[in-house]
């Protein structure tokens, strides 16, 4: 038992509680803080105090102190001892750079942190001498002060130190414990520099850390994952370990010798103690047991993770059905009838299930028995026993567990007084474990059915009961040393735990192997971008007539027609020829000419608009374009519709403005240096995706894709190419089970439920006209920029003063100054002088209204006229006083300027010196690309220094992993030295540190990578016609460059070098776009299958490259995106989970796909659009009518709206025309659904404001269509070679005795026509239904359904005709 008591001693010493009066002022929520201790400047002790000692180190100790009640509370935190560094001519300094975290719910007005400086020295004898050198008082700010000084709190602050020790604050003489106390003497020249900030990320793990506990990020915090970044600070950005759910069943507690005798002795002792306190022998009352409670909770060694559960136990003798409990245990047991569920358990050696048994007593005048009366005010509780058990440290824990109970005055996690235990001096070891009582239960875990066995016990050991002592299950943080990681990731369902350092430990528990992953949904195939334009479907006659409409011609600067390029031929790409072209300015022309409907008999769409984005120009949304039919004699089936732009009033003239022409002027003089080559690569490799929308319904018709490589001119003055692009609509069916998908020979799953339908053809003409540029394009390209940055390569920001643009070319030196007025350079000084000038001599502000100015001007004119008439100067006394006041004011201004100059002189000198050590570097970055570079850092001093690399920007980081550094060096072909373990990142340091010898030069590797992208989406609908048809590229169209500062500081926080990184964003290429429509407020879960490796990377797959791992990264942190490592030659899937918002929200994000673990360069960039819609589920039968209503709510103003559907052949909407939607009124939309195809699919329904082309409401109608019951079946054969249709007939007899009206329907109106769509029959009369089968061109088989419906459109009978085309 002594071992168990010793194991819990650290739990009992977690800290002193706050003063009892402070509990009345607790806040609702605790406030998290981060205190970063920077350096100690100036030793707070004399050197003579440590004579004869060596290796003197300093340590900081922090304690919480209540200044109102002079009360220390919490636990003292101690930093790691740091050496003292002496610099000639400067005070001694000690660098700590350690962060301390805590959260407190008290009012911080009178709470302070006492910072004590302790010197630790070793004597010659080997003993340590500890000397308290001084202390400081750091006052915590309250919430109001934190909010008001949010920006100032990030600055480094100074904490003065005082003589003595913090224990002086408890002296009665020290009434005022703050700095105002007369008994506190300041230590001159000694201070601690620190920063104190609120730390919101700590709120995520505050349930794992007790309040008022000072702790550092390098300490072991059970339940928090160890840091894997550049530092070992796990609390800077804490990550929680995975939790599992545990269950305790059949719980029983055994008390010896029996429950009755145990309670009888307990009550006698309590009653005797009560009488002894009252000084009585007897009072006729006795102590009665009210309840037997068991507190069960998860403890992480520091605190309860959640509030423990309280359950009521009953004696086993009161249980009617004893179950498996033997008769010998009935009298000894207290049992629990219910099940206990613990959801916060973590597989960690410090986590355990804590039990403590508590009895509730009250005083009664009757016999001693268990009372059923409610708890009264006179009741009180007493803790009798406690126990703790870790489910992941025992040998095969998934069984019946027996744990010994503890009691007595030994330390316990709850810091409570516990009832005594019987004497065990004469007992054996086996009896000692059970004499205080035991608790037995059956343990199970939801995540895993079998827990692994410990290494001491073989895996095939049979299950048996284990009697465990809590002394063997819990360890202190000091006794648990670090262990090596296994390198295996924590898999879902694995029974492993993490050691005190958060490292995976597979030596204690054997890891179970995960079963092969089997998805319940079929994956979606990433088919890549479909590029049309290689096949011409429109007839030559139609093309000739379309060109006769007078579309704008594309001509060069000499007014000659552009050279026509054949779109079916693959052009050669020579970027060098494009660079040497004297016409460097490119005018890109897009002409939208015509549109062909598919099928041609359809009457939708009647008007369209387009959305796309070319290069880095702003996204384009065109105006509404009406489809106008061409007039031609003869066949009209293949005639395209001319696109005519509509004005704001909805009118347009085909004779005036046929087609839509857009121009994009790419002028190199307005572009960034080297961007011209980026643009040429964009044309050579990019595919322009154009979304085609129905302008009336605002529904997406499809997407057309066109290659831009035909726009490379190859030295020609102008080129043009015509395309007939397929507008493809990709539809994703609802989630289908894997079982109905197709399987290949090697077990891979083919995509199921993805359909692509050609919705139309877009006639598009592209052109590129070359022009002379204002300046020659520079050859300096960002792709060839140096990866090594030196401070001596003329990249310093110090130029010796400002120079005019006219003289900068004539001056060779940099140390040239140009005098300028201070008022012109400093706005603050100008504001001060201007405010003084506007105050007159009596201290009142002058009124500068127009009337006052006019009056003064008239007075000055009158004085000048009188001077001319009299011939003498008229100077009044007031005028002389005004001149004198003006001279005085000028003298005051000069004094202000002089004082201001003296005040800013030191700051200006420091700024100029900082510019002298500042290196400027411009970085060209693309979305997802990791830009690698190395900075040459030299130690300018003749002594060694530890340099801290400080960079606060999250996108720029120092590469501290040597394997990652080596990978990027090989990728960039950089031939610089590579060092292992170059940086110091342990010990709670905030930034990586590097040790430099005197005058040593090293290369610091950096990596910049951004996943920040604009997720904003333009509102749906065409533009109003005011968009720019001629677009000129400029620098302002790109985002402002990011400015990142990197400081290289030595121990005294002085920088030896500054790196200023300017990041220029470059355009990125989107390889594929996905659009999903999903029900609102649900999760979209999709599995997307990658195409083969050679399709992704345009490379041949070698046998050695067959095994590769895919890595993904999403630009939206709220989207879960991952992949699973598959066996070789198996397909790779990407899994997405997206939380959809309320309708009609559209979420946009990007997914980047990599093939290397360091995410150097994405091989694919996918763009996703997820629109949230209101879902309506409909169960129906093919060919039968289903009706339902939707509720449409009015907005704040009246609107003229119309309802549209993506499949008007299957859904009819009432009202079908434009109607008025009053404000705040509920209106019903009636749907008549007649499905034609069996299966599951989705149809979209939009309600659009017809005046402003705005989306008012949107629904997702999910159809589940079943096959109808076939009454009769027929079979017919039709010859394809004849090219003629065939007429047939079938008979139908009215089965009713009365007259009936019938209607005929079919699911293939393109293949079957009825002679009459309806007929009327008398009772028992027979009718011959005439059928006309249309001719087809291809052989095959089709099943055509014929529906015979009654007058109410209810299906009477269904016939099936199997047609064989041969």
């Amino acid at each position: 038992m002594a071992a168990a008591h010793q194991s819990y001693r650290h739990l009992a010493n977690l800290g002193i509680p706050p003063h009892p009066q402070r509990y009345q002022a607790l806040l609702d929520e605790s406030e998290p803080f981060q205190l970063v201790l920077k350096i100690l400047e100036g030793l707070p002790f004399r050197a003579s105090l440590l004579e004869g000692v060596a290796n003197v180190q300093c340590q900081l100790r922090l304690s919480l102190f209540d200044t109102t009640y002079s009360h220390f509370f919490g636990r003292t935190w101690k930093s790691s001892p740091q050496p003292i560094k002496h610099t000639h001519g400067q005070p001694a300094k000690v660098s700590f750079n350690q962060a301390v975290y805590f959260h407190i719910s008290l009012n911080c007005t009178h709470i302070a942190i006492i910072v004590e400086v302790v010197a630790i020295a070793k004597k010659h004898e080997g003993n340590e001498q500890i000397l308290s050198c001084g202390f400081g008082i750091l006052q915590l700010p309250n919430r109001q002060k934190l909010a008001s000084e949010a920006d100032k709190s990030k600055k480094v602050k100074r904490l003065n130190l005082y003589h003595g020790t913090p224990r002086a604050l408890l002296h009665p003489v020290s009434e005022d414990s703050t700095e105002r106390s007369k008994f506190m003497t300041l230590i001159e020249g000694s201070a601690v520099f620190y920063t104190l900030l609120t730390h919101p990320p700590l709120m995520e793990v505050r349930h794992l850390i007790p309040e008022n506990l000072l702790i550092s990020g390098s300490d072991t915090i059970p339940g928090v994952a160890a840091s894997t970044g550049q530092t070992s600070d796990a609390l800077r950005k804490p990550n929680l370990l995975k939790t599992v759910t545990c269950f305790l069943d059949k719980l029983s507690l055994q008390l010896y010798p029996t429950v009755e005798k145990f309670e009888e002795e307990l009550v006698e002792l309590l009653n005797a103690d009560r009488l002894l306190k009252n000084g009585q022998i007897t009072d006729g009352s006795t102590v009665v047991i009210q309840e037997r409670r068991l507190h069960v909770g998860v403890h992480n060694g520091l605190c309860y993770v959640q509030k423990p559960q309280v359950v009521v136990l009953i004696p086993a003798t009161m249980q009617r059905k004893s179950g498996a409990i033997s008769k010998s245990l009935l009298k000894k047991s207290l049992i629990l009838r219910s099940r206990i569920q613990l959801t916060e358990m973590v597989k960690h050696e410090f986590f355990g299930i804590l039990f403590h048994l508590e009895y509730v007593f009250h005083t009664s005048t009757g016999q001693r028995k268990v009372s059923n009366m409610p708890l009264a005010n006179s009741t009180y509780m007493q803790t009798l026993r406690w126990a703790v058990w870790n489910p992941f440290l025992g040998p095969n824990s998934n069984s019946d567990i027996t744990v010994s109970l503890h009691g007595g005055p030994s330390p316990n996690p709850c810091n409570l007084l516990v009832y005594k235990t019987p004497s065990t001096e004469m007992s054996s070891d086996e009896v000692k474990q059970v004499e205080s009582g035991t608790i037995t239960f059956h343990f199970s875990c939801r995540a895993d059915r079998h827990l692994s066995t410990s290494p001491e016990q073989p895996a095939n050991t049979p299950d048996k009961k284990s009697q465990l002592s809590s002394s063997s299950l819990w360890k202190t943080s000091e006794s648990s040393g670090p262990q090596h990681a296994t390198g295996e990731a924590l898999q879902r369902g694995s029974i492993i735990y993490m050691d005190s350092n958060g490292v995976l430990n597979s030596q204690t528990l054997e890891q179970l192997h995960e079963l092969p992953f089997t998805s319940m949904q079929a994956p979606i195939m990433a088919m890549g971008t479909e590029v049309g334009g290689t096949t011409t479907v429109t007839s030559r006659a139609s093309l000739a007539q379309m060109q006769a409409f007078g579309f704008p011609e594309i001509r060069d600067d000499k007014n000659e027609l552009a050279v026509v390029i054949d779109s079916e031929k693959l052009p050669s790409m020579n970027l060098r020829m494009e660079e040497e072209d004297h016409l460097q300015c490119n005018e890109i022309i897009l002409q939208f000419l015509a549109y062909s409907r598919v099928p041609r008999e359809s009457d939708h769409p009647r008007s369209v608009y387009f959305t796309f984005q070319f290069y880095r120009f702003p996204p384009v949304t065109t105006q509404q374009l009406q489809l106008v039919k061409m007039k031609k004699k003869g066949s009209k089936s293949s005639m395209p519709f001319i696109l005519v732009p509509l004005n704001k009033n909805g009118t347009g003239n085909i004779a005036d403005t046929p087609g839509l022409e857009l121009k994009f002027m790419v002028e190199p003089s307005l572009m960034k240096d080297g961007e011209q080559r980026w643009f040429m690569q964009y044309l050579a490799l990019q595919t322009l995706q154009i979304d085609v929308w129905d302008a009336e319904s605002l529904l997406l018709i499809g997407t057309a894709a066109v290659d831009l490589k035909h726009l490379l001119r190859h030295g020609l003055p102008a080129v043009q190419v015509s395309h007939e692009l397929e507008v493809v609509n990709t539809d994703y069916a609802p989630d289908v089970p894997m079982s109905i998908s197709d399987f290949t020979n090697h077990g891979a799953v083919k995509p199921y439920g993805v359909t692509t339908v050609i919705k139309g053809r877009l006639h598009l003409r592209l052109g590129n006209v070359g022009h002379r540029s204002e300046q020659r394009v520079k050859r300096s390209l960002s792709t060839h920029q140096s990866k090594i940055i030196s401070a001596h390569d003329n990249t310093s920001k110090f130029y010796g003063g400002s120079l005019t643009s006219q003289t900068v070319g004539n001056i060779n030196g940099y140390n040239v100054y140009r005098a300028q007025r201070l008022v012109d350079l400093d706005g603050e000084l100008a504001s001060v002088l201007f405010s003084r000038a506007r105050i007159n001599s009596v201290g009142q502000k002058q009124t500068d209204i127009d009337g006052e100015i006019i009056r003064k001007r008239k007075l000055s004119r009158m004085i000048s006229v009188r001077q001319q008439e009299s011939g003498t100067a008229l100077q009044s006394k007031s005028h002389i006083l005004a001149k004198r006041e003006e001279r005085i004011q000028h003298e005051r201004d000069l004094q202000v300027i002089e004082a201001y100059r003296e005040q800013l002189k030191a700051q200006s000198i420091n700024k100029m010196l900082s510019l002298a050590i500042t290196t400027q570097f411009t970085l060209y970055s693309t979305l997802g690309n990791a830009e690698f570079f190395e900075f040459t850092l030299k130690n300018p001093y003749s002594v060694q220094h530890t340099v801290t690399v400080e960079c606060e920007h999250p996108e720029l980081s120092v590469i501290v992993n040597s394997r990652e550094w080596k990978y990027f060096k090989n990728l960039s072909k950089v031939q610089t030295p590579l060092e292992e373990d170059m940086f110091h990142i342990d010990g709670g340091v905030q930034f990586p540190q590097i040790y430099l010898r005197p005058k040593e030069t090293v290369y610091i590797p950096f990596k910049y990578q951004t996943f920040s992208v604009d997720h904003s989406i333009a509102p749906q609908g065409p533009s109003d016609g005011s968009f720019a048809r001629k677009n000129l590229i400029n620098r302002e169209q790109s985002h402002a460059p990011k400015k990142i500062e990197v400081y290289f500081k030595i121990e005294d926080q002085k920088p030896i070098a500054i790196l200023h990184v300017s990041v220029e964003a470059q355009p990125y290429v989107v390889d594929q776009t996905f659009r999903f429509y999903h029900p609102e407020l649900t999760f979209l879960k999709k599995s997307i299958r990658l195409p083969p490796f050679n399709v992704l990377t345009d490379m041949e797959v070698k046998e050695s490259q067959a095994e590769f791992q895919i890595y993904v990264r999403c630009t939206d942190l709220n989207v879960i995106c991952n992949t699973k490592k598959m066996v070789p030659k198996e397909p790779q899937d990407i899994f997405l989970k997206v939380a959809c918002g309320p309708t009609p929200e559209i979420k946009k994000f990007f997914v980047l796909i990599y093939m290397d673990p360091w995410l150097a360069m994405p091989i694919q960039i996918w763009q996703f659009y997820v629109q949230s819609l209101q879902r309506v589920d409909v169960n129906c039968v093919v060919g039968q009518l289903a009706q339902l209503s939707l509720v449409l709510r009015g907005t704040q103003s009246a609107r003229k709206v119309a309802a549209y559907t993506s499949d008007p052949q299957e859904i009819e909407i009432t009202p079908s025309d434009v109607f008025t939607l009053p404000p705040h009124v509920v209106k019903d939309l009636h749907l008549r659904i007649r499905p034609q195809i069996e299966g599951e699919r989705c149809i979209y329904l939009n309600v659009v404001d017809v005046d402003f082309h705005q989306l008012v409401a949107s629904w997702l109608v999910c159809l589940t269509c079943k096959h109808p019951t076939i009454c009769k079946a027929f079979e017919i054969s039709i010859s394809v070679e004849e090219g003629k249709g065939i007429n047939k007939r079938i008979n139908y007899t009215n089965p009713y005795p009365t007259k009936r009206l019938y209607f005929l329907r079919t699911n293939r109106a393109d293949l079957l026509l009825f002679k009459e769509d309806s007929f009327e029959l008398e009772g028992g009369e027979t009718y011959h239904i005439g059928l006309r089968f249309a001719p087809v061109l291809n052989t095959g088989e089709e099943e055509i359904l014929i529906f015979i419906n009654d007058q109410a459109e209810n299906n009477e009978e269904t016939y099936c005709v199997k047609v064989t085309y041969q």
Side-chain angles (χ1 to χ4, degrees), residues 531 534 564-575 577-578 680 683-686 706-714 716 719-721 723 766:
V531 180
T534 59
V564 179
I565 305 298
D566 189 358
S567 62
E568 298 184 2
K569 294 183 179 180
L570 183 64
S572 60
M573 292 178 289
N574 190 345
L575 296 182
M577 181 184 297
E578 300 295 335
M680 293 303 169
L683 294 181
L685 303 176
Q686 176 63 300
V706 56
D707 282 331
L708 299 177
K709 53 179 173 285
H710 298 92
L711 294 179
L712 296 175
R713 291 185 285 106
H714 302 287
L716 298 175
V719 294
Q720 62 176 329
V721 60
H723 291 280
L766 303 177

Side-chain angles (χ1 to χ4, degrees), residues 41 116 170 269 278 304 442 493 515 633 753 882 1090 1280 1345 1351:
E41 183 177 306
E116 182 183 10
L170 302 177
L269 292 175
N278 297 333
Y304 277 110
H442 180 82
L515 295 176
K633 298 180 181 180
L1090 293 175
V1280 178
L1345 300 179
Q1351 191 171 359

Side-chain angles (χ1 to χ4, degrees), residues 919-988:
T919 303
Q920 191 173 19
F921 175 62
T922 302
L923 189 67
Y924 298 91
S925 174
T926 310
L927 175 66
N929 278 27
E931 301 295 336
F932 167 77
F933 63 92
E934 293 182 351
F935 179 74
T936 305
L937 178 64
K938 180 179 180 181
N939 182 11
Y941 300 101
S942 300
V943 295
Q944 65 275 8
H945 281 290
T946 300
V947 180
T948 303
V949 185
E950 295 187 4
C951 180
E952 296 286 351
H953 202 279
E955 296 177 350
L956 181 63
S957 60
V958 180
I959 301 179
V960 297
N961 191 314
S962 58
R963 294 195 301 116
E964 182 181 3
W965 189 6
K966 181 179 180 180
Y967 177 83
F968 280 104
K969 288 174 73 70
N970 296 335
L971 189 66
S972 306
K973 299 180 180 180
V974 176
Q975 305 297 329
T976 53
L978 176 67
E979 297 185 30
E980 296 284 346
D981 299 329
M982 183 176 178
F983 298 95
H984 171 65
I985 57 177
D986 299 327

